[in-house]
Amino acid sequence: MRLQKIPGVLPGIFFFFYFGVLHTGCAEERLDLALGLFEEGNWSQAQVEGRRWLAATASLPEAELLVAMASLRMGDEGPAIQASLQRLASRENPLEVRTMASYELGRLLWKKNQPMDAAAFFKQAFQETRSIDLFQRSGCSLYQLCKVFPMIGKNDPALFQSFETCYPVWSSEIWREC
């Protein structure tokens, strides 16, 4: 049996494990269901459950991020998703929410052929996250973006020095995804 690779799934999975213990009661059940659906690749149902979770908790950044990531996986790359990710990447959100949002926003902007903006968000995720998986993925993405658009890293030699130390730990899976 051949498994189909879905880019960007693993960062979401590792990221959302952080939030599995943050909530109690009914909100936790919705979170568990939404995260389980996301991990299975059932984007539409994950989005629905994420919206329910968001409605039940009023304004929780983790729920908004889950909805945005599920929407991206379903191909919705519209201005509302981009605005949501930009809001989530701001300093007032928890660290791992903003770094994951930054990574996803970097991927979206690269796809929209906005390399300078994408680089800024990849760099934010790379430099701020505490997640080893997100650190590796955002670093590899930024490295590859700088290779395609060499003008991005010209004024930041320390960034390339960081890549030299990270380069050996990037697995072939990370290379393919990024």
Side-chain angles (χ1 to χ4, degrees):
M1 179 171 91
R2 185 171 182 260
L3 296 177
Q4 180 180 13
K5 295 286 185 182
I6 301 173
V9 175
L10 287 177
I13 293 170
F14 291 114
F15 165 73
F16 284 113
F17 279 125
Y18 288 114
F19 301 105
V21 295
L22 293 179
H23 305 283
T24 58
C26 187
E28 182 179 330
E29 291 170 14
R30 283 193 181 106
L31 170 62
D32 290 343
L33 178 57
L35 295 177
L37 291 166
F38 187 88
E39 290 171 10
E40 292 170 5
N42 190 342
W43 315 129
S44 60
Q45 289 301 311
Q47 184 184 48
V48 167
E49 290 304 319
R51 285 189 173 136
R52 286 185 185 151
W53 183 35
L54 189 56
T57 57
S59 176
L60 193 62
E62 293 86 350
E64 187 177 351
L65 182 57
L66 174 68
V67 169
M69 289 176 66
S71 298
L72 284 172
R73 300 305 185 276
M74 292 187 313
D76 181 1
E77 298 170 351
I81 299 301
Q82 186 172 339
S84 178
L85 288 172
Q86 286 175 323
R87 192 171 41 258
L88 291 166
S90 67
R91 294 276 179 217
E92 70 247 9
N93 290 306
L95 177 67
E96 292 307 319
V97 169
R98 73 174 179 254
T99 56
M100 191 67 196
S102 295
Y103 174 71
E104 291 293 330
L105 190 53
R107 292 180 49 172
L108 176 62
L109 292 172
W110 190 357
K111 191 173 185 179
K112 289 184 172 189
N113 201 25
Q114 299 174 21
M116 297 301 282
D117 294 330
F121 286 106
F122 282 143
K123 186 175 178 181
Q124 178 181 345
F126 179 66
Q127 292 179 332
E128 294 180 12
T129 189
R130 291 183 186 144
S131 164
I132 293 171
D133 185 66
L134 184 55
F135 173 77
Q136 291 178 350
R137 280 174 166 63
S138 58
C140 185
S141 296
L142 183 56
Y143 175 78
Q144 289 191 23
L145 185 66
C146 289
K147 288 294 186 186
V148 175
F149 301 96
M151 74 281 193
I152 291 174
K154 286 207 184 263
N155 296 329
D156 199 352
L159 185 62
F160 284 100
Q161 187 175 14
S162 296
F163 292 150
E164 291 299 320
T165 60
C166 298
Y167 188 90
V169 298
W170 295 335
S171 67
S172 58
E173 177 188 332
I174 290 175
W175 279 106
R176 278 190 305 273
E177 179 186 317
C178 300

